[in-house]
Amino acid sequence: MALAEGIEQGRLALRMINPAPFNAEAPPEALAGPITPNELHYVRSNFAVPVHDGTLEIGGAVGNPLTLTLDDLRALPATERAVTLECAGNGRLEMRPLPIGEPWGDFAVSTARWTGALLHQVLQLARPAADGVDVRFEGADHGAYHLKPVLAETDKDDLTFVRALPLAHASDPAAEILIAYEMNGAPLGSDHGAPFRVVVPHWYAVASVKWLKRIDVLTEPYTGEFQTGHYLYEWPDRPAEAVSLMRVRARITHPAPASTVNVGKHTVRGKAWSGTGPVTRVEVSLTGEGEWYLANLEPPEGPYQWQDWSFEWNATDVGRHTLRARATDAAGNVQPEVPPWNRLGYGNNAVEVPYVDVR
Amino acid sequence: MALAEGIEQGRLALRMINPAPFNAEAPPEALAGPITPNELHYVRSNFAVPVHDGTLEIGGAVGNPLTLTLDDLRALPATERAVTLECAGNGRLEMRPLPIGEPWGDFAVSTARWTGALLHQVLQLARPAADGVDVRFEGADHGAYHLKPVLAETDKDDLTFVRALPLAHASDPAAEILIAYEMNGAPLGSDHGAPFRVVVPHWYAVASVKWLKRIDVLTEPYTGEFQTGHYLYEWPDRPAEAVSLMRVRARITHPAPASTVNVGKHTVRGKAWSGTGPVTRVEVSLTGEGEWYLANLEPPEGPYQWQDWSFEWNATDVGRHTLRARATDAAGNVQPEVPPWNRLGYGNNAVEVPYVDVR
């Protein structure tokens, strides 16, 4: 019962999307500060919280198979990075037609400080084979799996959550991929992958396997339900692509959507992030088809976390006003104005259109 | 001051979009009953409430030009019809990219009982010329006109609100177009076109000219700002079309969007309407890409008013649920799942995607 009560405690402040497996959005206040408190961090799970025996097996095409414990990981050099994680399905509710899948609004995004061992160092210990291609990460979580409504081909009686990364990326020191065991200074909670999980900066969070149980180096590209069956952009008009880096996006955090504010000066605030380079520009528009004005953009506090931006808005006219924010990143990616529809509803980074009523 | 106070009184319950000219949505409760109380009926104006001298001129290509007063109109046979009026821009906020124009949500729709003289009888009195083509309706409202942001070609110093209908339609007894002087049994309020206005059943409300001042029979097709300059569907991929009949649409009125309800049975309720025939079917879907279930649809209480529908929903699972309603009308028109984008954002009748959280 202690575990169950602990889970419940950590879930109360979230906006639940699905109870089993537990999926929940962050509340709006989670986006106010630079770091999301653990109890406000969104949760995405494909299966129920599993029993984990506390060990991590590393095998496959390696010269030195290993079994590591939490203590072994803690004995390695510790790295702490603030990382913005966003669910690939975040914003699905804005897509038309509405795709299948968890009905995420726009709050499946949070930023925590993750502490752990560097994946590339752990891999070095295991000595990947020269002909290694992919690294396969297996979670302890598993169970019956189907999307609602049931698609026959994905209706599995017992499936385990597995994802892979290219070996070149997984073993790149510059990628700073973590096997994390702390979240904001505390041991990982059960909803966030205790005792340890992968954290892949810049990627949609599906790559950040929770409840990590096994790592295998593969000499063939990995195929599997969560790699090549789902988490694909199935575009209507071009070949499917794998979900990988987070698409550039800005959100307005203040004033709240559909709120009422008084005539006068207001600071519009928000967050912006991208998996393809720091955000270099945020613009704000106050009407449909209107001009875009440059917002004040804070430089990134770290390489993997959202940035703050603000815009001084002089609300002189009573009535309804739309407030749109649009981000551009260093790679030149700009948010589209129309959600980039794909069958399973991933990667919606379209400019949002909240309104505010001025009185 | 009495007039100004009266205006203010009648506006308090609405959700203002623009103070000048006054535009305001109905509150959600306005859609609960079959008839919208006057103080909850949405208001769409292109110019400020005008001074009206109480007379209606009827001229142009007619054999018997007339000047009628309110008493003259009241002396003609009175007809009462419940008519659902919807702004052509209703739902504009859901379109992507966001079009220019008033940022209407989805509550620029209401239903009132309008009482007045039948337009075809009034026209008969004036004896339209045999070569008449259009009937031009001029409101008393006028002023400087521009869309924000200013489009040079529509920036006019003094423009009067004018619309036209084909003479064949205006003089058709079956069309039952009214020159209305009562709304739900009370004299028209200033925001609704006092002392009299046109009410054109089945058409987007732009055709229902308020503060009616002149009627002219024309022997050439009418062109003008509100007929051939705006209120056009400017499609991205095909020729522009005039805004005319209301497109088929269903809305969910209960439970409220983003509300929380308990596990158990709930009656989902809503309204459905169409300008192209009675609504013949409403279906409800509970997930993305899911099945559509037939709702209970009430027969129309009259030929021009929205219909009630309901759906018994057994909410057995806690978590977030989308609730979508889709209407089909007697002409076979079905709501699209993607907003039918056009440059000025008219006629959005796409299936809406509200969600409800079950606890």
Side-chain angles (χ1 to χ4, degrees), chain A residues 17 19 93 96 103 318-320 322 353, chain B residues 17 19 96 103 105 318-320 353:
Chain A
I17 303 294
L93 269 181
R96 300 290 180 272
V318 300
R320 178 169 295 176
T322 54
V353 188
Chain B
I17 304 293
R96 300 290 179 275
V318 300
R320 179 169 294 176
V353 188

